[in-house]
Amino acid sequence: MESPFKHDILKGKVALITGGGSGIGFEISTQFGRHGAAVAIMGRRRQVLDAAVAALREEGIRAIGLEGDVRKQEDASRVLEATISHFGKLDILVNGAAGNFLASPEDLSPNGFRTVMDIDSVGTYTMCHEALKYLKKGGPGKCPYKGGLILNISATLHYTASWYQIHVASAKAAVDSITRSLALEWGTDYDIRVNGIAPGPIEGTPGMRKLVPDEMTSRTREYMPLYKLGEKWDIAMAALYLTSDAGKYVNGTTMVVDGGLWLSRPRHIPKEEVQKLSRVVEKKLKTSNNGLPSSKL
């Protein structure tokens, strides 16, 4: 799909995207590059990084791949230093690295719970912490009057509750809290904007393949107000908005991009039955109010 944004909306910017070699992260990397940014992607699998960088460079995008684990402070520091060494600065940090799998609480070990917390929440904070000196106004290679941007990829699982996702819901709740706290403190002290995106079910992603079997996809669509799955492009467009000057006054918010799914519930009564019940109630109201229509009550 054609982007609604100008092709140079991120011209001159440098972005580091964790988990940027596949899925939503790779689409964000691609769209950032197509809109003028230089891109560094961080991940744990060298083969995935190399393939992603090759694809980006084929489009003429300036890109590098840096191997590292967001849970390790030394890896975070090394990757950030390498990004600065290669591109000279850092304007945007996208925390997209995440872990997920289905498990009921009684079958989920504390170690499994901790692993997801470490990748999603501790990893997000670690990257933010190590990036601060490069993102704050007056940092290395920065304009002295303007800070950088942080974008954290979250979810909506913790807004209510989700089956078999207690570990991820807990981790993403922490991510949202990190987003708000850093937006308050670093926005005030360093002019850094911090926001998040909470994607819904996005087709063609590793997450959908792991969490929703093919035979369940059609049922998932039935529960969605827009009756369709999202695309990776949808998340990347939200990321462009939040990291560009179009979103320059947005700070501390997590944008839900899920087609309204988190608001929805299965229909317990078919619409036709509801209409029948409504007519019965309307008739009773008219009778009990001496013929006055309900609109006059």
Side-chain angles (χ1 to χ4, degrees):
M1 295 177 63
E2 184 178 350
S3 169
F5 295 99
K6 293 181 179 179
H7 72 279
D8 60 350
I9 196 170
L10 294 183
K11 183 179 180 180
K13 303 291 186 181
V14 175
L16 169 61
I17 299 102
T18 71
S22 62
I24 289 172
F26 180 67
E27 183 67 15
I28 292 174
S29 300
T30 301
Q31 294 297 340
F32 277 14
R34 289 176 180 172
H35 289 78
V39 175
I41 56 177
M42 177 182 180
R44 289 181 290 170
R45 296 173 292 170
R46 171 51 59 185
Q47 185 176 359
V48 172
L49 288 173
D50 289 345
V53 169
L56 293 171
R57 289 178 176 173
E58 282 183 7
E59 293 198 34
I61 296 169
R62 292 189 298 152
I64 58 172
L66 300 166
E67 198 169 354
D69 188 333
V70 296
R71 294 171 291 183
K72 299 177 180 178
Q73 187 174 1
E74 60 271 23
D75 281 15
S77 178
R78 173 179 50 79
V79 165
L80 282 156
E81 288 176 1
T83 301
I84 301 301
S85 176
H86 190 89
F87 292 120
K89 64 171 184 171
L90 179 68
D91 300 291
I92 302 166
L93 169 65
V94 179
N95 289 302
N100 200 353
F101 52 90
L102 295 175
S104 58
E106 61 269 27
D107 297 326
L108 177 65
S109 70
N111 186 58
F113 185 94
R114 185 182 301 110
T115 296
V116 173
M117 291 292 293
D118 282 349
I119 295 172
D120 289 41
S121 53
V122 179
T124 291
Y125 180 74
T126 299
M127 293 301 301
C128 292
H129 183 272
E130 296 304 304
L132 173 60
K133 63 183 178 182
Y134 304 114
L135 292 173
K136 66 182 181 180
K137 59 184 178 183
K142 294 291 296 180
C143 167
Y145 304 111
K146 189 174 183 180
L149 303 145
I150 297 173
L151 184 62
N152 299 323
I153 305 302
S154 185
T156 62
L157 303 170
H158 53 291
Y159 291 1
T160 52
S162 298
W163 288 94
Y164 316 125
Q165 296 278 272
I166 188 172
H167 45 323
V168 185
S170 300
K172 294 306 188 183
V175 169
D176 285 0
S177 182
I178 290 169
T179 296
R180 291 189 294 270
S181 294
L182 293 185
L184 170 67
E185 299 198 49
W186 288 2
T188 302
D189 293 341
Y190 306 117
D191 198 24
I192 295 173
R193 285 198 296 115
V194 187
N195 290 299
I197 297 176
I202 305 299
E203 61 184 356
T205 60
M208 276 295 291
R209 288 191 290 271
K210 284 195 302 183
L211 303 178
V212 184
D214 291 340
E215 60 271 19
M216 293 290 291
T217 300
S218 60
R219 290 179 58 187
T220 300
R221 294 175 193 269
E222 291 174 6
Y223 297 152
M224 301 186 72
L226 297 183
Y227 292 98
K228 58 185 177 182
L229 299 176
E231 300 175 3
K232 291 173 282 189
W233 183 90
D234 296 314
I235 309 305
M237 292 301 107
L240 281 172
Y241 167 72
L242 289 171
T243 55
S244 70
D245 286 342
K248 65 182 179 62
Y249 202 53
V250 181
N251 188 39
T253 191
T254 296
M255 180 184 291
V256 178
V257 186
D258 76 339
L261 177 61
W262 84 273
L263 301 169
S264 69
R265 298 290 184 273
R267 292 182 197 264
H268 298 296
I269 304 175
K271 183 181 290 187
E272 294 76 13
E273 293 299 318
V274 173
Q275 291 171 341
K276 291 178 183 177
L277 289 171
S278 296
R279 285 193 289 269
V280 171
V281 171
E282 182 74 13
K283 185 176 180 180
K284 287 182 177 179
L285 283 171
K286 288 180 178 180
T287 301
S288 62
N289 289 282
N290 298 319
L292 285 175
S294 58
S295 60
K296 300 292 186 181
L297 299 180

